[in-house]
């Protein structure tokens, strides 16, 4: 899947969210211990659905400096992908990590620091 195809699918709402969100601290790309169970749930979903590929979309809040938005979003998604590969042995070809951009989903800015999963 190319980035253009992934971003077009996300923008069009073609992907179904898995209703799991990994939260990050502001300006952080590190996965906190409190979020590991959520990632384990995604790994379990993938284990039960061996033919599925998921998109891991990284977001940040509007408070993030514009010069850092892409890097933070991409690195968050990449770190979750790497965690699934290394800790849960999910093959890389079943995971597509993309930095989506600024989220305004929640009124509280710190809630907009996350990664979502789409099938």
């Amino acid at each position: 899947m190319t980035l253009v195809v992934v971003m077009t699918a996300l923008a069009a709402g073609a992907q179904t969210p898995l209703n799991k969100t990994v939260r990050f601290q502001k300006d952080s790309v590190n996965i906190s211990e409190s979020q590991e169970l959520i990632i384990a749930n995604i790994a379990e979903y993938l284990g039960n659905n061996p033919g599925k590929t998921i998109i891991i979309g990284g977001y940040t809040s509007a408070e993030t400096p514009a010069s850092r938005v892409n890097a933070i979003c991409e690195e968050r998604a990449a770190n979750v992908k790497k965690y699934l590969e290394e800790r849960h042995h999910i093959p890389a070809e079943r995971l597509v990590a993309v930095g989506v951009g600024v989220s305004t989903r929640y009124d509280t800015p710190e809630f907009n620091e996350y990664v979502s999963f789409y099938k």
Side-chain angles (χ1 to χ4, degrees):
M1 236 183 262
T2 69
L3 180 59
V4 172
V5 170
V6 170
M7 295 305 289
T8 301
L10 285 174
Q15 300 297 318
T16 305
L18 287 170
N19 295 322
K20 299 286 182 195
T21 301
V22 173
R23 302 267 176 215
F24 289 84
Q25 296 295 316
K26 183 172 176 40
D27 298 325
S28 176
V29 297
N30 299 317
I31 299 166
S32 68
E33 189 175 316
S34 67
Q35 302 302 295
E36 292 176 357
L37 180 59
I38 295 164
I39 300 171
N41 289 335
I42 294 297
E44 182 178 5
Y45 165 81
L46 289 166
N48 292 334
N49 296 279
K52 294 284 185 184
T53 297
I54 64 167
I55 298 170
I56 304 164
Y59 296 85
T60 191
S61 74
E63 293 184 345
T64 301
S67 62
R68 296 272 304 131
V69 167
N70 289 341
I72 287 176
C73 294
E74 289 171 4
E75 195 168 346
R76 285 177 176 170
N79 285 349
V80 171
K81 179 180 187 277
K82 182 178 177 182
Y83 189 96
L84 282 162
E85 291 170 1
E86 293 179 358
R87 296 266 182 108
H88 295 283
H89 311 291
I90 304 298
E93 60 271 8
R94 296 185 61 204
L95 307 167
V96 178
V98 295
V100 180
V102 171
S103 171
T104 55
R105 175 193 242 175
Y106 303 102
D107 292 336
T108 307
E110 60 266 18
F111 291 169
N112 290 312
E113 308 284 348
Y114 64 91
V115 163
S116 283
F117 303 90
Y118 305 90
K119 58 182 178 171

